[in-house]
Each structure stands twice: as structure tokens, then as C-alpha cells.
Amino acid sequence: MAVGETSGGPRAWFECFRGCSGRWPLTEVIYRCPQCGGLLTVQHDMERLRERTPEEWKKRFQEREHTTNWPYGSGVWGKREMVCPVVDDDNIVSMYEGNTNLFWAKRLGGQLGLEDLWIKLCGNTHTGSFKDLGMTVLVSVVNQMRKDGQEVPAVACASTGDTSAALAAYAAYAGIPAIVLLPKDKVSIAQLVQPIANGAITLALETDFDGCMEIVAAIAEKDGIYLANSMNSLRVEGQKTVGMEIVEQFDWQVPEWIVIPGGNLGNVSALGKGLLDFYELGIIDRLPRIACAQAERANPLYRSYLTHFESLEPIHALPTLASAIQIGNPVSIEKAVATLKRFDGVVEEATEQELADAVARADRTGLFNCPHTGVALAVLEKLVARGVIRKQERVVVISTAHGLKFTGFKARYHQRQLEGIQSALANPEIVVKASYEKVRDEIFRQIDARFR
Ligand SMILES: *Cc1c(COP(=O)(O)O)cnc(C)c1O
Ligand SMILES: [Zn+2]
């Protein structure tokens, strides 16, 4: 059979993102174009996907959702034909990821002057971040390769905490050895304990993410260990379902704006790719605008945006509370730039103070945000204030991880212990004597102070 063939069904293959010639099967160990060294992308056989009408696709997706009919209950595998058509049912490694809820942020939207604000809670998933969406695809393909007799001794990644958690969990589910390289003392306890609990070989290195990435790339290249970072475009195929889900959740209506935090920039590229696939297949008839949000201390894309994307320079990323996006040399920057150009995108940055306050403000309306979502929310506030995003427009903010992974950051904000941060919205616990009168007096003192 030809590359990417699955007898009669949909087909997909790797090709160069920059357009060099050549096609490679999704089960081949290849991460970069042999001609130009650029990233690869997964290309689907769109002609074959067009054999079904948009209406047929929509019906098919909706029928599959939340069923136990393996593997279609997964938000990712429910769109299998457009994601990864080369893995057998038995080899799919899924925890029924995806299908995360949209939180209707009525109160927060009201405070920001927006009438139609929604938060896509991608952290409501097995390992607590959107990284599950990509990892189910990557680990499934590796599982297929191993079952087909290919030599893949282990999977490995460098991580700012969430990629490693997802890789460790999916690899453990499939019984595949996993190795994770983490920057020492730069991930939260919750993030560190996840790969440890799931049995991954967990290595803490005295460097930052970019330093870990360099080493794991060398190990993948020289020692035959399969690379699970988002340089591997299989991850992008799973993650691209986030945009597909959003439009499906709005009954195939496209919001005006999607705001998403960016670090290594795989996720913003994935968001764009899924929406473009739907657009090309006629499932949606227009595209949203995309705003990519960066931390001011790790902002190579923002700097590039200021030059109209004419220069793309890596920087040395400084420590930020948004630790999962402390990346100075984002591997997917070219893909992200292409996405932003296609989606009439903007890039904006948020300071440490702005992101911390945005988290606290949104939490007061019932959310429980991670600092990266805080970056997106702070950027949203700025874009609204500047009139770029308008009052009546429908806006979806991608929340990338669950706040419970970042309780240290959140607790320290409320205890006023974050260095250099004014905790204007702190709400620390009040220690009270265990006596009826003292408790009653304190309650009424607080109600008076806060609500009168
Ligand atoms: C990975 C991650 C990001 C950034 O995604 P990229 O694809 O690296 O841009 C944002 N937030 C959280 C919580 C993450 O884990
Ligand atoms: Zn190329």
C-alpha cells in the first residue's frame, strides 16, 4: 500500500510544513524535513474526507460523543478520520480525553464589559491539562508501531510539567517505558508527582526547559528513543480538536475571538489547524480571530509580532509564574506565525502582576485558574480596553490547565507571599478561636467589611 494508506478509508501522512517534497507514513520515526530541517505537518487526504458532506460529518461526530463505543467517547477519537486514521482500535491509548466543558463566564464577562464570554476548560481532563489531547494520539501511534514489530524502546519528552504528566500517564496505560526531563525546581509539586506516580523515569536537570529540550532532542536523534515533544506533529493532530469542539459546542457557529496562551506555540498552531480543516471541508463557513497571549518574561512571539513577524529571534526566557510557558526558543514559532497570519491574529503580553490579578479576579467568579489561563485573561482585559475585542463579540478563552496543579502559586497570592506581587485581591483564611461568640463576631465583621 502507498504511504498513509488504510485500505479504502481516510489517509494521512507527514509532509514538510514549509512545502518541500516528500511524504512519510505516520508510523515512521521522523520529526523534521530531511531537506530543509523544518517541522513536519500531518496532511490528510482531503479529497477522501470530502466524500462525506459537512452534514454527514456533523451527525457522525455528535452520535459518537460521550458513548462507551471504543474509542469514540474520546473527544479526540470521535474525530478519528480527521485526526489519525492509521491506528487500530485495539492499539488506541485513550482516557476519553477532550469533550471538555465551556464555562459561561457571565459575571466575569460583565466585569470586563463583554456580553458573551466563555472559557474552554481544557484542564478538566485526566492529567489536568490540554496536553492529554495530543498525547493520546502520539502514544497510540507508538503503541501501533510497537505492535507492528518496530523497535521503539521508550518515549521521552522535555517538559515544563504538563507534557511530562500526560506522557507518563498514557505510557503507563499502554505499558510503554517513559522518560521525562524536567527543569529542576521549576515545575509545581503536583506536576512533578504525576510522572513519579505513573512510574516514568523522571530526571530533574539543573537547567530550564530550553536546556532540557536540547538534551532530549539529542537523545531522540542518537539513541532511538521516541520524541514526544510538540516538535512531533502527531501531538498537534490531537490538540487541534480543541477548536473543532468549540464550534461544535456552539452548534457549528464560529466565535469572533479565541484567546489562547502560548509558550512552545504548538497549541496555537493546533487550534488553527483544526479550524482550517473544518473550514476546508465546509463544516464551518468562516474563521475566528485568534489572540495569542504570552508572559512578558517569555515573549519571543510578541517581540516578533512587533516586527510584523519579520524577525523570529529566540530569547532567554526569564522565570515567570506562568511556568509552563517559560520558553524562549519555541519550536513551533513558524507554524504559529502562519496561523496568526491566516486568522488575522494578534499577540499581546501580560506582566506577572497582571496575570496574578487576572487569575484572582476570575476565580472570584467561580473559576479556578492556572497562571497560564491568567495570562490569557489579562491579555483579554487589555484587548477589550483597547477596543480590539468589542463588547458584543463572542469570545472563547482557552484555559490550558486545572488550577489544582498550581495551588502553590494560588495559596501564596492569597497569603501575600508572592515576591514582587501586590495581592490586591487576597482572601487569606482568618484564624479564629473555636468559640461561638468569636466566630459570630468575625463573620459579621467580615460581611460588613466586604458587602456593605
Ligand atoms: C503547554 C502549556 C501551555 C503552552 O502550550 P504551547 O503549545 O507550549 O504553546 C500553556 N499552558 C499550559 C498549562 C501548558 O501546559
Ligand atoms: Zn522542508
Side-chain angles (χ1 to χ4, degrees):
M1 283 191 286
V3 165
E5 191 85 45
T6 50
S7 53
R11 304 186 316 158
W13 54 85
F14 288 127
E15 60 182 41
C16 173
F17 177 71
R18 295 175 180 158
C20 303
S21 62
R23 288 181 178 185
W24 300 271
L26 299 186
T27 48
E28 186 160 324
V29 181
I30 181 169
Y31 314 111
R32 288 188 176 275
C33 171
Q35 287 176 59
C36 73
L39 291 186
L40 302 175
T41 185
V42 173
Q43 180 60 49
H44 294 267
D45 183 341
M46 298 307 264
E47 280 316 304
R48 212 171 269 192
L49 292 174
R50 272 192 206 98
E51 286 169 10
R52 274 176 225 288
T53 65
E55 290 315 313
E56 284 169 338
W57 282 121
K58 292 178 193 174
K59 184 158 172 283
R60 176 174 273 227
F61 295 151
Q62 278 171 334
E63 280 168 1
R64 288 171 172 175
E65 251 145 57
H66 302 296
T67 63
T68 50
N69 181 18
W70 182 266
Y72 298 112
S74 155
V76 173
W77 296 100
K79 304 196 167 58
R80 178 183 196 168
E81 297 88 339
M82 296 177 192
V83 167
C84 182
V86 306
V87 183
D88 300 335
D89 281 5
D90 285 350
N91 293 330
I92 286 176
V93 185
S94 170
M95 303 181 188
Y96 278 14
E97 51 289 314
N99 287 329
T100 51
N101 59 302
L102 277 169
F103 177 107
W104 187 12
K106 274 205 287 193
R107 272 190 77 206
L108 181 64
Q111 291 169 12
L112 303 183
L114 287 171
E115 290 172 1
D116 204 5
L117 174 64
W118 300 76
I119 319 285
K120 175 75 167 161
L121 292 180
C122 296
N124 288 349
T125 177
H126 189 76
T127 72
S129 88
F130 76 83
K131 300 294 199 299
D132 288 357
L133 300 175
M135 216 47 93
T136 182
V137 175
L138 182 139
V139 175
S140 295
V141 171
V142 171
N143 202 30
Q144 179 75 42
M145 290 159 74
R146 285 164 58 101
K147 295 286 160 63
D148 290 345
Q150 256 172 281
E151 183 72 37
V152 186
V155 288
C157 72
S159 177
T160 51
D162 291 329
T163 298
S164 45
L167 179 65
Y170 283 83
Y173 191 97
I176 298 172
I179 299 146
V180 309
L181 274 60
L182 296 169
K184 189 170 174 301
D185 301 327
K186 293 192 176 91
V187 307
S188 76
I189 300 273
Q191 289 173 319
L192 175 62
V193 82
Q194 287 183 291
I196 287 175
N198 286 138
I201 299 171
T202 306
L203 307 174
L205 276 56
E206 289 283 2
T207 179
D208 57 7
F209 170 82
D210 294 303
C212 292
M213 189 63 230
E214 230 170 88
I215 293 172
V216 81
I219 288 182
E221 194 190 308
K222 297 184 182 145
D223 304 288
I225 288 178
Y226 193 85
L227 184 66
N229 280 96
S230 58
M231 175 196 296
N232 186 322
S233 50
L234 292 171
R235 292 254 315 272
V236 169
E237 289 311 290
Q239 288 174 205
K240 79 180 182 184
T241 58
V242 68
M244 295 170 150
E245 278 184 17
I246 288 170
V247 296
E248 185 173 1
Q249 284 168 303
F250 286 119
D251 207 15
W252 313 104
Q253 300 297 306
V254 179
E256 270 75 33
W257 282 95
I258 299 179
V259 185
I260 184 170
N264 223 0
L265 305 177
N267 208 29
V268 62
S269 313
L271 171 68
K273 189 165 192 286
L275 291 165
L276 278 177
D277 286 350
F278 265 11
Y279 187 66
E280 274 185 49
L281 293 169
I283 294 170
I284 54 176
D285 58 9
R286 59 181 193 86
L287 298 174
R289 292 184 70 186
I290 292 178
C292 188
Q294 290 216 290
E296 188 198 32
R297 296 168 68 83
N299 63 354
L301 183 71
Y302 178 69
R303 292 181 192 211
S304 172
Y305 174 72
L306 295 180
T307 71
H308 303 280
F309 299 126
E310 255 144 49
S311 87
L312 301 181
E313 291 300 318
I315 63 164
H316 175 71
L318 300 172
T320 164
L321 294 166
S323 49
I325 56 176
Q326 187 191 329
I327 296 175
N329 188 13
V331 71
S332 295
I333 193 159
E334 273 180 48
K335 286 186 177 179
V337 167
T339 301
L340 290 165
K341 288 182 174 168
R342 187 72 181 79
F343 286 76
D344 195 7
V346 299
V347 185
E348 184 51 82
E349 62 177 6
T351 65
E352 300 296 290
Q353 183 70 54
E354 287 165 345
L355 78 87
D357 285 336
V359 164
R361 187 148 43 241
D363 284 2
R364 287 279 181 98
T365 68
L367 286 148
F368 194 71
N369 289 290
C370 76
H372 323 87
T373 306
V375 172
L377 291 168
V379 159
L380 171 67
E381 287 178 32
K382 290 185 175 179
L383 295 176
V384 173
R386 216 187 294 145
V388 179
I389 295 180
R390 286 187 308 253
K391 189 174 173 221
Q392 350 54 269
E393 291 182 313
R394 174 170 285 169
V395 182
V396 179
V397 174
I398 308 273
S399 172
T400 46
H402 202 292
L404 285 173
K405 285 193 171 212
F406 300 91
T407 46
F409 151 72
K410 298 171 79 69
R412 282 187 292 138
Y413 179 90
H414 288 290
Q415 292 155 0
R416 299 190 176 86
Q417 285 171 5
L418 282 178
E419 220 176 294
I421 300 289
Q422 302 290 327
S423 300
L425 295 165
N427 181 33
E429 74 272 34
I430 302 157
V431 180
V432 190
K433 250 187 117 185
S435 108
Y436 164 77
E437 287 80 14
K438 293 270 191 274
V439 169
R440 180 200 56 204
D441 292 352
E442 188 61 38
I443 287 172
F444 285 102
R445 191 161 34 240
Q446 291 296 332
I447 290 175
D448 273 353
R450 296 175 190 214
F451 300 105
R452 295 256 162 95

